[in-house]
PDB file of all heavy atoms in Angstrom:
ATOM      1  N   LYS Q   1     -30.663  -2.494  -8.062  1.00  0.00           N
ATOM      2  CA  LYS Q   1     -31.468  -1.363  -7.542  1.00  0.00           C
ATOM      3  C   LYS Q   1     -30.592  -0.318  -6.880  1.00  0.00           C
ATOM      4  O   LYS Q   1     -31.106   0.694  -6.377  1.00  0.00           O
ATOM      5  CB  LYS Q   1     -32.506  -1.829  -6.600  1.00  0.00           C
ATOM      6  CG  LYS Q   1     -33.585  -2.748  -7.227  1.00  0.00           C
ATOM      7  CD  LYS Q   1     -34.704  -3.103  -6.257  1.00  0.00           C
ATOM      8  CE  LYS Q   1     -35.798  -3.869  -6.890  1.00  0.00           C
ATOM      9  NZ  LYS Q   1     -36.892  -4.160  -5.967  1.00  0.00           N
ATOM     10  N   ASP Q   2     -29.256  -0.484  -6.872  1.00  0.00           N
ATOM     11  CA  ASP Q   2     -28.353   0.470  -6.255  1.00  0.00           C
ATOM     12  C   ASP Q   2     -28.743   0.691  -4.787  1.00  0.00           C
ATOM     13  O   ASP Q   2     -28.589   1.840  -4.279  1.00  0.00           O
ATOM     14  CB  ASP Q   2     -28.320   1.792  -6.974  1.00  0.00           C
ATOM     15  CG  ASP Q   2     -27.737   1.628  -8.382  1.00  0.00           C
ATOM     16  OD1 ASP Q   2     -26.765   0.806  -8.497  1.00  0.00           O
ATOM     17  OD2 ASP Q   2     -28.206   2.294  -9.313  1.00  0.00           O
ATOM     18  N   LYS Q   3     -29.131  -0.350  -4.098  1.00  0.00           N
ATOM     19  CA  LYS Q   3     -29.573  -0.251  -2.689  1.00  0.00           C
ATOM     20  C   LYS Q   3     -28.580  -0.933  -1.823  1.00  0.00           C
ATOM     21  O   LYS Q   3     -28.133  -2.084  -2.167  1.00  0.00           O
ATOM     22  CB  LYS Q   3     -30.970  -0.791  -2.460  1.00  0.00           C
ATOM     23  CG  LYS Q   3     -32.083  -0.020  -3.184  1.00  0.00           C
ATOM     24  CD  LYS Q   3     -33.451  -0.665  -3.016  1.00  0.00           C
ATOM     25  CE  LYS Q   3     -33.833  -0.959  -1.633  1.00  0.00           C
ATOM     26  NZ  LYS Q   3     -35.182  -1.626  -1.499  1.00  0.00           N
ATOM     27  N   GLY Q   4     -28.262  -0.379  -0.624  1.00  0.00           N
ATOM     28  CA  GLY Q   4     -27.396  -1.054   0.274  1.00  0.00           C
ATOM     29  C   GLY Q   4     -25.999  -1.067  -0.063  1.00  0.00           C
ATOM     30  O   GLY Q   4     -25.513  -0.304  -0.990  1.00  0.00           O
ATOM     31  N   LYS Q   5     -25.191  -1.898   0.620  1.00  0.00           N
ATOM     32  CA  LYS Q   5     -23.776  -2.038   0.357  1.00  0.00           C
ATOM     33  C   LYS Q   5     -23.438  -3.449  -0.176  1.00  0.00           C
ATOM     34  O   LYS Q   5     -24.110  -4.386   0.060  1.00  0.00           O
ATOM     35  CB  LYS Q   5     -22.961  -1.792   1.646  1.00  0.00           C
ATOM     36  CG  LYS Q   5     -23.118  -0.379   2.217  1.00  0.00           C
ATOM     37  CD  LYS Q   5     -22.383  -0.236   3.543  1.00  0.00           C
ATOM     38  CE  LYS Q   5     -22.553   1.147   4.124  1.00  0.00           C
ATOM     39  NZ  LYS Q   5     -21.809   1.267   5.429  1.00  0.00           N
ATOM     40  N   GLN Q   6     -22.291  -3.504  -0.859  1.00  0.00           N
ATOM     41  CA  GLN Q   6     -21.805  -4.848  -1.283  1.00  0.00           C
ATOM     42  C   GLN Q   6     -20.891  -5.380  -0.224  1.00  0.00           C
ATOM     43  O   GLN Q   6     -19.762  -5.020  -0.115  1.00  0.00           O
ATOM     44  CB  GLN Q   6     -21.063  -4.699  -2.659  1.00  0.00           C
ATOM     45  CG  GLN Q   6     -20.840  -5.987  -3.424  1.00  0.00           C
ATOM     46  CD  GLN Q   6     -20.534  -7.194  -2.633  1.00  0.00           C
ATOM     47  OE1 GLN Q   6     -21.487  -7.914  -2.250  1.00  0.00           O
ATOM     48  NE2 GLN Q   6     -19.250  -7.495  -2.362  1.00  0.00           N
ATOM     49  N   GLU Q   7     -21.462  -6.250   0.602  1.00  0.00           N
ATOM     50  CA  GLU Q   7     -20.728  -6.835   1.727  1.00  0.00           C
ATOM     51  C   GLU Q   7     -20.607  -8.343   1.606  1.00  0.00           C
ATOM     52  O   GLU Q   7     -20.172  -8.999   2.537  1.00  0.00           O
ATOM     53  CB  GLU Q   7     -21.368  -6.425   3.032  1.00  0.00           C
ATOM     54  CG  GLU Q   7     -21.342  -4.913   3.221  1.00  0.00           C
ATOM     55  CD  GLU Q   7     -22.010  -4.479   4.533  1.00  0.00           C
ATOM     56  OE1 GLU Q   7     -22.960  -5.247   4.957  1.00  0.00           O
ATOM     57  OE2 GLU Q   7     -21.631  -3.485   5.106  1.00  0.00           O
ATOM     58  N   LEU Q   8     -21.048  -8.926   0.499  1.00  0.00           N
ATOM     59  CA  LEU Q   8     -20.914 -10.371   0.348  1.00  0.00           C
ATOM     60  C   LEU Q   8     -19.455 -10.818   0.132  1.00  0.00           C
ATOM     61  O   LEU Q   8     -18.702 -10.138  -0.553  1.00  0.00           O
ATOM     62  CB  LEU Q   8     -21.768 -10.834  -0.829  1.00  0.00           C
ATOM     63  CG  LEU Q   8     -23.250 -10.630  -0.700  1.00  0.00           C
ATOM     64  CD1 LEU Q   8     -24.010 -11.035  -1.998  1.00  0.00           C
ATOM     65  CD2 LEU Q   8     -23.866 -11.569   0.448  1.00  0.00           C
ATOM     66  N   PRO Q   9     -19.106 -11.933   0.705  1.00  0.00           N
ATOM     67  CA  PRO Q   9     -17.708 -12.430   0.600  1.00  0.00           C
ATOM     68  C   PRO Q   9     -17.505 -13.087  -0.733  1.00  0.00           C
ATOM     69  O   PRO Q   9     -18.407 -13.374  -1.454  1.00  0.00           O
ATOM     70  CB  PRO Q   9     -17.604 -13.383   1.777  1.00  0.00           C
ATOM     71  CG  PRO Q   9     -19.038 -13.973   1.829  1.00  0.00           C
ATOM     72  CD  PRO Q   9     -19.985 -12.834   1.538  1.00  0.00           C
ATOM     73  N   GLU Q  10     -16.256 -13.458  -1.026  1.00  0.00           N
ATOM     74  CA  GLU Q  10     -15.915 -14.264  -2.166  1.00  0.00           C
ATOM     75  C   GLU Q  10     -16.628 -15.595  -2.211  1.00  0.00           C
ATOM     76  O   GLU Q  10     -17.064 -16.014  -3.236  1.00  0.00           O
ATOM     77  CB  GLU Q  10     -14.362 -14.421  -2.271  1.00  0.00           C
ATOM     78  CG  GLU Q  10     -13.887 -15.268  -3.456  1.00  0.00           C
ATOM     79  CD  GLU Q  10     -14.097 -14.525  -4.765  1.00  0.00           C
ATOM     80  OE1 GLU Q  10     -14.291 -13.313  -4.781  1.00  0.00           O
ATOM     81  OE2 GLU Q  10     -13.953 -15.181  -5.821  1.00  0.00           O
ATOM     82  N   ALA Q  11     -16.680 -16.214  -1.055  1.00  0.00           N
ATOM     83  CA  ALA Q  11     -17.319 -17.529  -0.972  1.00  0.00           C
ATOM     84  C   ALA Q  11     -18.191 -17.531   0.354  1.00  0.00           C
ATOM     85  O   ALA Q  11     -17.649 -17.313   1.376  1.00  0.00           O
ATOM     86  CB  ALA Q  11     -16.344 -18.635  -0.985  1.00  0.00           C
ATOM     87  N   TYR Q  12     -19.460 -17.787   0.192  1.00  0.00           N
ATOM     88  CA  TYR Q  12     -20.389 -17.928   1.344  1.00  0.00           C
ATOM     89  C   TYR Q  12     -20.777 -19.429   1.347  1.00  0.00           C
ATOM     90  O   TYR Q  12     -21.552 -19.852   0.531  1.00  0.00           O
ATOM     91  CB  TYR Q  12     -21.653 -17.048   1.143  1.00  0.00           C
ATOM     92  CG  TYR Q  12     -22.185 -16.422   2.386  1.00  0.00           C
ATOM     93  CD1 TYR Q  12     -22.612 -15.115   2.371  1.00  0.00           C
ATOM     94  CD2 TYR Q  12     -22.191 -17.148   3.572  1.00  0.00           C
ATOM     95  CE1 TYR Q  12     -23.147 -14.522   3.539  1.00  0.00           C
ATOM     96  CE2 TYR Q  12     -22.689 -16.539   4.750  1.00  0.00           C
ATOM     97  CZ  TYR Q  12     -23.205 -15.232   4.728  1.00  0.00           C
ATOM     98  OH  TYR Q  12     -23.683 -14.633   5.849  1.00  0.00           O
ATOM     99  N   MET Q  13     -20.214 -20.180   2.312  1.00  0.00           N
ATOM    100  CA  MET Q  13     -20.301 -21.630   2.204  1.00  0.00           C
ATOM    101  C   MET Q  13     -20.942 -22.203   3.478  1.00  0.00           C
ATOM    102  O   MET Q  13     -20.597 -21.767   4.609  1.00  0.00           O
ATOM    103  CB  MET Q  13     -18.929 -22.236   2.032  1.00  0.00           C
ATOM    104  CG  MET Q  13     -18.083 -21.520   0.959  1.00  0.00           C
ATOM    105  SD  MET Q  13     -18.749 -21.630  -0.681  1.00  0.00           S
ATOM    106  CE  MET Q  13     -18.046 -23.200  -1.236  1.00  0.00           C
ATOM    107  N   PHE Q  14     -21.801 -23.232   3.322  1.00  0.00           N
ATOM    108  CA  PHE Q  14     -22.445 -23.897   4.446  1.00  0.00           C
ATOM    109  C   PHE Q  14     -21.585 -25.093   4.773  1.00  0.00           C
ATOM    110  O   PHE Q  14     -21.261 -25.910   3.915  1.00  0.00           O
ATOM    111  CB  PHE Q  14     -23.833 -24.307   4.101  1.00  0.00           C
ATOM    112  CG  PHE Q  14     -24.600 -24.892   5.266  1.00  0.00           C
ATOM    113  CD1 PHE Q  14     -25.311 -23.977   6.115  1.00  0.00           C
ATOM    114  CD2 PHE Q  14     -24.651 -26.302   5.523  1.00  0.00           C
ATOM    115  CE1 PHE Q  14     -26.017 -24.543   7.222  1.00  0.00           C
ATOM    116  CE2 PHE Q  14     -25.366 -26.741   6.630  1.00  0.00           C
ATOM    117  CZ  PHE Q  14     -26.060 -25.859   7.434  1.00  0.00           C
ATOM    118  N   GLU Q  15     -21.204 -25.171   6.043  1.00  0.00           N
ATOM    119  CA  GLU Q  15     -20.397 -26.288   6.542  1.00  0.00           C
ATOM    120  C   GLU Q  15     -21.328 -27.368   7.090  1.00  0.00           C
ATOM    121  O   GLU Q  15     -21.999 -27.204   8.112  1.00  0.00           O
ATOM    122  CB  GLU Q  15     -19.426 -25.835   7.597  1.00  0.00           C
ATOM    123  CG  GLU Q  15     -18.598 -26.882   8.299  1.00  0.00           C
ATOM    124  CD  GLU Q  15     -17.781 -26.349   9.444  1.00  0.00           C
ATOM    125  OE1 GLU Q  15     -17.910 -25.137   9.758  1.00  0.00           O
ATOM    126  OE2 GLU Q  15     -16.997 -27.109  10.002  1.00  0.00           O
ATOM    127  N   THR Q  16     -21.363 -28.523   6.404  1.00  0.00           N
ATOM    128  CA  THR Q  16     -22.145 -29.621   6.979  1.00  0.00           C
ATOM    129  C   THR Q  16     -21.390 -30.319   8.082  1.00  0.00           C
ATOM    130  O   THR Q  16     -20.176 -30.204   8.188  1.00  0.00           O
ATOM    131  CB  THR Q  16     -22.525 -30.670   5.841  1.00  0.00           C
ATOM    132  OG1 THR Q  16     -21.280 -31.053   5.231  1.00  0.00           O
ATOM    133  CG2 THR Q  16     -23.452 -30.031   4.819  1.00  0.00           C
ATOM    134  N   GLY Q  17     -22.068 -31.076   8.928  1.00  0.00           N
ATOM    135  CA  GLY Q  17     -21.452 -31.593  10.083  1.00  0.00           C
ATOM    136  C   GLY Q  17     -21.641 -30.775  11.270  1.00  0.00           C
ATOM    137  O   GLY Q  17     -22.079 -31.202  12.382  1.00  0.00           O
ATOM    138  N   THR Q  18     -21.208 -29.473  11.206  1.00  0.00           N
ATOM    139  CA  THR Q  18     -21.505 -28.505  12.280  1.00  0.00           C
ATOM    140  C   THR Q  18     -22.733 -27.635  11.937  1.00  0.00           C
ATOM    141  O   THR Q  18     -23.287 -26.995  12.796  1.00  0.00           O
ATOM    142  CB  THR Q  18     -20.322 -27.600  12.462  1.00  0.00           C
ATOM    143  OG1 THR Q  18     -20.049 -26.912  11.267  1.00  0.00           O
ATOM    144  CG2 THR Q  18     -19.087 -28.335  12.895  1.00  0.00           C
ATOM    145  N   ASN Q  19     -23.158 -27.657  10.669  1.00  0.00           N
ATOM    146  CA  ASN Q  19     -24.307 -26.891  10.174  1.00  0.00           C
ATOM    147  C   ASN Q  19     -24.232 -25.422  10.450  1.00  0.00           C
ATOM    148  O   ASN Q  19     -25.020 -24.795  11.189  1.00  0.00           O
ATOM    149  CB  ASN Q  19     -25.621 -27.471  10.838  1.00  0.00           C
ATOM    150  CG  ASN Q  19     -25.862 -28.897  10.355  1.00  0.00           C
ATOM    151  OD1 ASN Q  19     -25.414 -29.329   9.298  1.00  0.00           O
ATOM    152  ND2 ASN Q  19     -26.614 -29.638  11.180  1.00  0.00           N
ATOM    153  N   GLN Q  20     -23.170 -24.795   9.894  1.00  0.00           N
ATOM    154  CA  GLN Q  20     -22.914 -23.377  10.016  1.00  0.00           C
ATOM    155  C   GLN Q  20     -22.563 -22.725   8.680  1.00  0.00           C
ATOM    156  O   GLN Q  20     -21.906 -23.384   7.857  1.00  0.00           O
ATOM    157  CB  GLN Q  20     -21.825 -23.071  11.031  1.00  0.00           C
ATOM    158  CG  GLN Q  20     -21.976 -23.733  12.426  1.00  0.00           C
ATOM    159  CD  GLN Q  20     -20.729 -23.438  13.315  1.00  0.00           C
ATOM    160  OE1 GLN Q  20     -20.398 -22.299  13.588  1.00  0.00           O
ATOM    161  NE2 GLN Q  20     -20.079 -24.509  13.668  1.00  0.00           N
ATOM    162  N   TRP Q  21     -22.935 -21.485   8.544  1.00  0.00           N
ATOM    163  CA  TRP Q  21     -22.484 -20.731   7.376  1.00  0.00           C
ATOM    164  C   TRP Q  21     -21.187 -20.079   7.669  1.00  0.00           C
ATOM    165  O   TRP Q  21     -20.910 -19.643   8.810  1.00  0.00           O
ATOM    166  CB  TRP Q  21     -23.540 -19.638   7.054  1.00  0.00           C
ATOM    167  CG  TRP Q  21     -24.788 -20.062   6.385  1.00  0.00           C
ATOM    168  CD1 TRP Q  21     -25.957 -20.331   7.013  1.00  0.00           C
ATOM    169  CD2 TRP Q  21     -24.948 -20.386   4.979  1.00  0.00           C
ATOM    170  NE1 TRP Q  21     -26.919 -20.745   6.107  1.00  0.00           N
ATOM    171  CE2 TRP Q  21     -26.331 -20.786   4.844  1.00  0.00           C
ATOM    172  CE3 TRP Q  21     -24.120 -20.374   3.937  1.00  0.00           C
ATOM    173  CZ2 TRP Q  21     -26.820 -21.159   3.635  1.00  0.00           C
ATOM    174  CZ3 TRP Q  21     -24.633 -20.689   2.646  1.00  0.00           C
ATOM    175  CH2 TRP Q  21     -25.972 -21.065   2.555  1.00  0.00           C
ATOM    176  N   HIS Q  22     -20.273 -19.955   6.648  1.00  0.00           N
ATOM    177  CA  HIS Q  22     -18.978 -19.340   6.849  1.00  0.00           C
ATOM    178  C   HIS Q  22     -18.658 -18.473   5.595  1.00  0.00           C
ATOM    179  O   HIS Q  22     -19.136 -18.794   4.515  1.00  0.00           O
ATOM    180  CB  HIS Q  22     -17.830 -20.377   6.991  1.00  0.00           C
ATOM    181  CG  HIS Q  22     -17.998 -21.153   8.243  1.00  0.00           C
ATOM    182  ND1 HIS Q  22     -17.524 -20.793   9.455  1.00  0.00           N
ATOM    183  CD2 HIS Q  22     -18.548 -22.403   8.453  1.00  0.00           C
ATOM    184  CE1 HIS Q  22     -17.801 -21.697  10.385  1.00  0.00           C
ATOM    185  NE2 HIS Q  22     -18.381 -22.703   9.792  1.00  0.00           N
ATOM    186  N   LYS Q  23     -17.894 -17.388   5.834  1.00  0.00           N
ATOM    187  CA  LYS Q  23     -17.473 -16.504   4.791  1.00  0.00           C
ATOM    188  C   LYS Q  23     -15.919 -16.792   4.566  1.00  0.00           C
ATOM    189  O   LYS Q  23     -15.201 -16.850   5.499  1.00  0.00           O
ATOM    190  CB  LYS Q  23     -17.728 -15.079   5.155  1.00  0.00           C
ATOM    191  CG  LYS Q  23     -19.175 -14.762   5.423  1.00  0.00           C
ATOM    192  CD  LYS Q  23     -19.354 -13.332   5.909  1.00  0.00           C
ATOM    193  CE  LYS Q  23     -20.852 -13.018   6.234  1.00  0.00           C
ATOM    194  NZ  LYS Q  23     -20.973 -11.628   6.716  1.00  0.00           N
ATOM    195  N   PHE Q  24     -15.555 -16.822   3.293  1.00  0.00           N
ATOM    196  CA  PHE Q  24     -14.144 -16.984   2.928  1.00  0.00           C
ATOM    197  C   PHE Q  24     -13.688 -15.982   1.931  1.00  0.00           C
ATOM    198  O   PHE Q  24     -14.533 -15.540   1.063  1.00  0.00           O
ATOM    199  CB  PHE Q  24     -13.876 -18.381   2.443  1.00  0.00           C
ATOM    200  CG  PHE Q  24     -14.124 -19.504   3.442  1.00  0.00           C
ATOM    201  CD1 PHE Q  24     -15.272 -20.238   3.449  1.00  0.00           C
ATOM    202  CD2 PHE Q  24     -13.118 -19.732   4.407  1.00  0.00           C
ATOM    203  CE1 PHE Q  24     -15.465 -21.206   4.399  1.00  0.00           C
ATOM    204  CE2 PHE Q  24     -13.324 -20.741   5.335  1.00  0.00           C
ATOM    205  CZ  PHE Q  24     -14.496 -21.502   5.343  1.00  0.00           C
ATOM    206  N   GLU Q  25     -12.443 -15.639   1.962  1.00  0.00           N
ATOM    207  CA  GLU Q  25     -11.892 -14.729   0.915  1.00  0.00           C
ATOM    208  C   GLU Q  25     -11.507 -15.427  -0.384  1.00  0.00           C
ATOM    209  O   GLU Q  25     -11.199 -14.769  -1.332  1.00  0.00           O
ATOM    210  CB  GLU Q  25     -10.659 -14.034   1.525  1.00  0.00           C
ATOM    211  CG  GLU Q  25     -10.940 -13.152   2.725  1.00  0.00           C
ATOM    212  CD  GLU Q  25      -9.705 -12.560   3.315  1.00  0.00           C
ATOM    213  OE1 GLU Q  25      -8.603 -12.923   2.812  1.00  0.00           O
ATOM    214  OE2 GLU Q  25      -9.781 -11.794   4.265  1.00  0.00           O
ATOM    215  N   ALA Q  26     -11.505 -16.773  -0.348  1.00  0.00           N
ATOM    216  CA  ALA Q  26     -11.185 -17.551  -1.512  1.00  0.00           C
ATOM    217  C   ALA Q  26     -11.786 -18.953  -1.361  1.00  0.00           C
ATOM    218  O   ALA Q  26     -12.041 -19.374  -0.226  1.00  0.00           O
ATOM    219  CB  ALA Q  26      -9.707 -17.643  -1.720  1.00  0.00           C
ATOM    220  N   TRP Q  27     -12.083 -19.631  -2.466  1.00  0.00           N
ATOM    221  CA  TRP Q  27     -12.420 -21.059  -2.405  1.00  0.00           C
ATOM    222  C   TRP Q  27     -11.616 -21.819  -3.364  1.00  0.00           C
ATOM    223  O   TRP Q  27     -11.525 -21.429  -4.582  1.00  0.00           O
ATOM    224  CB  TRP Q  27     -13.944 -21.199  -2.715  1.00  0.00           C
ATOM    225  CG  TRP Q  27     -14.278 -22.634  -2.477  1.00  0.00           C
ATOM    226  CD1 TRP Q  27     -14.398 -23.673  -3.431  1.00  0.00           C
ATOM    227  CD2 TRP Q  27     -14.468 -23.278  -1.206  1.00  0.00           C
ATOM    228  NE1 TRP Q  27     -14.696 -24.833  -2.803  1.00  0.00           N
ATOM    229  CE2 TRP Q  27     -14.772 -24.666  -1.454  1.00  0.00           C
ATOM    230  CE3 TRP Q  27     -14.486 -22.854   0.132  1.00  0.00           C
ATOM    231  CZ2 TRP Q  27     -14.937 -25.575  -0.410  1.00  0.00           C
ATOM    232  CZ3 TRP Q  27     -14.751 -23.741   1.161  1.00  0.00           C
ATOM    233  CH2 TRP Q  27     -14.990 -25.080   0.842  1.00  0.00           C
TER     234      TRP Q  27
END
């Protein structure tokens, strides 16, 4: 829809054990 900005990272990963989302430049 050409709306907003492209700000998603290369890898958006959920860390189990601590239960947190993290962004990475590579996986």
Side-chain angles (χ1 to χ4, degrees):
K1 296 186 176 182
D2 295 323
K3 293 172 59 176
K5 299 179 180 179
Q6 197 321 90
E7 298 177 330
L8 293 173
E10 178 71 14
Y12 215 142
M13 315 296 274
F14 188 85
E15 177 186 3
T16 55
T18 59
N19 295 337
Q20 302 178 63
W21 286 99
H22 296 275
K23 300 176 182 179
F24 293 101
E25 297 177 356
W27 186 261

